[in-house]
Amino acid sequence: MIQSRQEASSTYRSVTTTFAFDTTTWSTSEGTNILNVSIDPVSVGNRILLSARAYIGEVSTTVRVGGAIIRNAETVALPGCVALAGGTATGAGADANVLTIDCETEATVTTQETYNLYIGPATAATIHLNGNLATGQLLGNGFATNIRATEIER
């Protein structure tokens, strides 16, 4: 491992911007940009391992929740960097579901690269990060949505 950077937020927040659960590539107009992590690769071609976790509760209806990682000002998700939360989030007071993204890409520059985590419901709904509407934050602020970028030699 050459270097690793992580950003995390335990802030309880609501997200309503949907993503298209279809055959198109996830784009920056879908979901909400939740967190960003930046890394300055030491060599072009090194591998960048990306990992993101989001803790999701939902209130208005049963819904699929998805996420994607998009690099810099690119407009679509990196290949292999899209996921759905395990199962579907359900009504008020629901326990948290976990959205997990683990993927890798290649460093394209030796200047700062920023990786953006987008999250959203597949249909009209309000999802809640790091808790749920009935109780707010869960486990005493213990849930923290996060994204990590780790550079390794190729």
Side-chain angles (χ1 to χ4, degrees):
M1 178 184 76
I2 297 171
Q3 62 177 317
S4 186
R5 303 283 183 270
Q6 177 174 312
E7 292 295 331
S9 173
S10 60
T11 302
Y12 169 72
R13 69 183 284 188
S14 300
V15 175
T16 58
T17 306
T18 62
F19 73 97
F21 187 51
D22 60 15
T23 60
T24 61
T25 303
W26 190 304
S27 73
T28 54
S29 65
E30 299 175 276
T32 299
N33 184 193
I34 302 299
L35 282 173
N36 311 305
V37 66
S38 296
I39 194 167
D40 297 330
V42 298
S43 180
V44 170
N46 278 351
R47 304 306 297 165
I48 306 295
L49 307 179
L50 299 166
S51 177
R53 304 288 181 272
Y55 300 94
I56 302 161
E58 192 276 334
V59 65
S60 60
T61 186
T62 300
V63 65
R64 292 178 192 267
V65 177
I69 299 175
I70 300 176
R71 178 177 31 214
N72 295 326
E74 294 174 14
T75 58
V76 296
L78 290 164
C81 293
V82 176
L84 293 175
T88 55
T90 55
D95 293 331
N97 285 306
V98 179
L99 171 73
T100 302
I101 302 173
D102 290 306
C103 59
E104 67 179 81
T105 190
E106 187 173 282
T108 58
V109 295
T110 55
T111 56
Q112 186 176 78
E113 290 191 319
T114 299
Y115 297 93
N116 309 292
L117 174 61
Y118 283 77
I119 295 173
T123 55
T126 301
I127 60 173
H128 301 277
L129 295 179
N130 303 322
N132 62 42
L133 187 63
T135 58
Q137 288 184 293
L138 296 172
L139 299 175
N141 210 25
F143 286 142
T145 295
N146 61 76
I147 182 171
R148 176 186 299 271
T150 302
E151 181 182 7
I152 60 172
E153 247 181 303
R154 62 178 143 149

